[in-house]
Structures are given as structure tokens and as C-alpha cells.
Amino acid sequence: MGERQRLDKLLGNSGYGSRKEIRNLIRQRRVTVDGDVISNPGIHVEPGVSKIRIDDIEAVYRKYIYIMMNKPGGVISATYDKRHETIIDLLPDEFRSFDVFPAGRLDIDTEGLVLLTNDGQLAHEILSPRKHIPKTYYVHVNGRVIDKDKEAFAEGIVLDDGYRCLPAELEIIESSEVSEVNLTIYEGKFHQVKRMFESLGKEVVYLKRISMGGLKLDPRLGPGKCREITDKELNALKKNS
Ligand code: URA
């Protein structure tokens, strides 16, 4: 079932604690592999084949993890930053031993759906410009958004650098001094949503991603909160990517 891996790494990547915690478990003689008590955290085991037990309970090997987060404003969607809090800083302890990274980034002031995973293949497919995965944003825009804007988005907005965007779908929820809309785009250029509205002479004042492919942000997740996605959600995401 794949390449041999260090025991401490495999247990860490399966969610059994930090490397340090796992080494402690091993030092305390609480871990067995194929019935033998292990004292060396660096021994190599075969994922899914070697029978690993912690306190005599079988350890389940997990390769991938998929977490949806409701990113709050002011937080960077990167794994490390010198100055700002990152989405990794917001992860609860139970997810920390997995080497997750964000599959797609949001601006620091943008809120909403970010998928964190250690599945490079799926992340690649979601991010591939050729796949045109739909992403829907809930947006507050300064000024009235009108039906003519809808047509402009459907035809393809031309950005400040001359790039013509793929057709996008604008749904007007409320048109007023600060309008409320949903916008679905099929690509992910730098600051794309903000720049699309700028091209129409309008300013985005609030931006939140609410879906990506078949995955919808759980409305019960408060800002900064996260949870693993269900198998059903994962299948919906994979179908779209
Ligand atoms: N478009 C933007 O302008 N910003 C984001 O964070 C995402 C899409």
C-alpha cells in the first residue's frame, strides 16, 4: 500500500499527535508494530500493512485530510507569515500534525471558504487554470449594481491589464447604495473579483467566498472555525474537479 515511512511521521500524519508527543508515547513503550514494543521512533513501517497499536488499540492509517475553514478577515491564507496570523495558526490541535496547506488563497481582507489539505493531487486539480472550477463569492459593492452589469459579467469583463475574463454569473440580491450580489467566476486571477468590479467603476467593500466547485461553506461555521469535510462533500468536490 505504498512506500515505507518512519513510524513517528506516519503516526503524526495520521493525526495521533505531534512528532514530540508520538516520541513520548514510544518512549513510554505504548506503541507496538506487528506485536513488538517499539523503542525507536525512526523505524520504517509499511502504511496500511504494518499493524500498529497504541495502548493496544489499532492505529488507523490516514493519508489525506480535507478541512473546510471559514477564514476571517485579517488572516493570511498561507502556511507561514512573519507579521500576520495565518490560517494554520487557527487550526485546532487535532489537525496540527497533518502537513496541510490551502488549496487556493484569499486576500487578507477576504472571508470565507478555504480548503486545507495535504492531498497535493486534489489541490492541483482544484487550482488548475484549465479546469475552470466555479467559485462563488458573496459581495458588497459600493453603488447600485444593475442588470446591465450582469450582461457585462456574462460577456467577459476586461481587467486593467487588458485581460478579458471568462464569462461570469452575477446574481443581484439587492441593488442599493451598497449593493449585495453573488458572483460566480471560473478562474482565479490576482484580486480578480475586486478588479472585475473596478473595471465597471465600482468598489468591493466586503468579499466572502461561499463555494468552490461542489463544496459549499457550512453556514454554521463561525469566522476562524473549521471542520473536516464529509465524504459526501469530498465526492461533490472531486466530481467538479
Ligand atoms: N477575488 C479577490 O479580489 N480577492 C479574493 O480574495 C478572491 C477573489
Side-chain angles (χ1 to χ4, degrees):
M1 203 174 161
E3 276 171 36
R4 292 170 79 79
Q5 269 186 32
R6 279 180 67 107
L7 176 64
D8 52 359
K9 183 160 185 231
L10 180 134
L11 287 174
N13 289 346
S14 298
Y16 287 96
S18 65
R19 284 277 187 105
K20 194 169 159 208
E21 286 163 342
I22 288 159
R23 282 184 194 161
N24 278 336
L25 289 176
I26 293 170
R27 198 167 301 130
Q28 292 159 7
R29 303 178 59 80
R30 292 163 65 187
V31 180
T32 60
V33 174
D34 295 329
D36 297 329
V37 175
I38 299 302
S39 56
N40 174 7
I43 65 155
H44 281 70
V45 292
E46 202 170 339
V49 176
S50 306
K51 287 274 170 270
I52 304 167
R53 296 175 85 84
I54 302 174
D55 293 338
D56 216 19
I57 297 168
E58 187 166 348
V60 182
Y61 169 62
R62 283 190 64 187
K63 196 167 182 188
Y64 295 131
I65 187 166
Y66 308 89
I67 301 163
M68 83 156 75
M69 178 180 281
N70 181 3
K71 178 184 128 24
V75 171
I76 303 247
S77 36
T79 48
Y80 172 76
D81 192 85
K82 268 193 195 144
R83 285 183 301 145
H84 294 99
E85 201 174 20
T86 70
I87 47 178
I88 300 296
D89 296 327
L90 298 179
L91 281 179
D93 285 348
E94 58 184 303
F95 298 138
R96 283 190 179 255
S97 59
F98 294 93
D99 278 336
V100 295
F101 56 87
R105 292 186 174 200
L106 294 176
D107 296 340
I108 185 164
D109 56 348
T110 303
E111 300 181 6
L113 177 61
V114 176
L115 178 74
L116 289 141
T117 185
N118 53 356
D119 181 347
Q121 177 70 29
L122 184 76
H124 176 75
E125 277 165 23
I126 289 173
L127 299 177
S128 166
R130 280 175 297 130
K131 295 274 177 151
H132 304 311
I133 300 293
K135 287 165 228 126
T136 301
Y137 294 84
Y138 169 72
V139 197
H140 290 182
V141 184
N142 244 339
R144 281 191 183 276
V145 175
I146 51 176
D147 280 345
K148 227 175 119 214
D149 297 324
K150 244 183 178 167
E151 288 162 27
F153 277 101
E155 275 164 26
I157 301 274
V158 178
L159 298 180
D160 46 3
D161 59 4
Y163 173 77
R164 180 181 284 277
C165 298
L166 291 175
E169 287 141 33
L170 181 72
E171 179 201 352
I172 301 173
I173 302 168
E174 193 180 311
S175 177
S176 58
E177 265 172 47
V178 178
S179 298
E180 249 179 273
V181 302
N182 281 333
L183 178 68
T184 301
I185 59 175
Y186 295 84
E187 54 199 335
K189 304 275 171 220
F190 187 58
H191 297 328
Q192 182 159 348
V193 175
K194 292 172 186 164
R195 287 165 69 210
M196 285 170 112
F197 279 100
E198 256 166 41
S199 293
L200 298 176
K202 294 182 164 77
E203 187 197 3
V204 169
V205 290
Y206 177 77
L207 188 56
K208 179 177 187 176
R209 182 155 65 195
I210 54 174
S211 77
M212 198 163 65
L215 184 65
K216 288 191 170 59
L217 179 65
D218 182 343
R220 290 165 302 188
L221 274 185
K225 298 288 182 233
C226 61
R227 68 158 169 82
E228 281 186 70
I229 66 174
T230 63
D231 288 347
K232 205 171 150 196
E233 286 170 327
L234 180 60
N235 287 336
L237 186 63
K238 283 187 171 167
K239 213 185 256 175
N240 248 263
S241 61

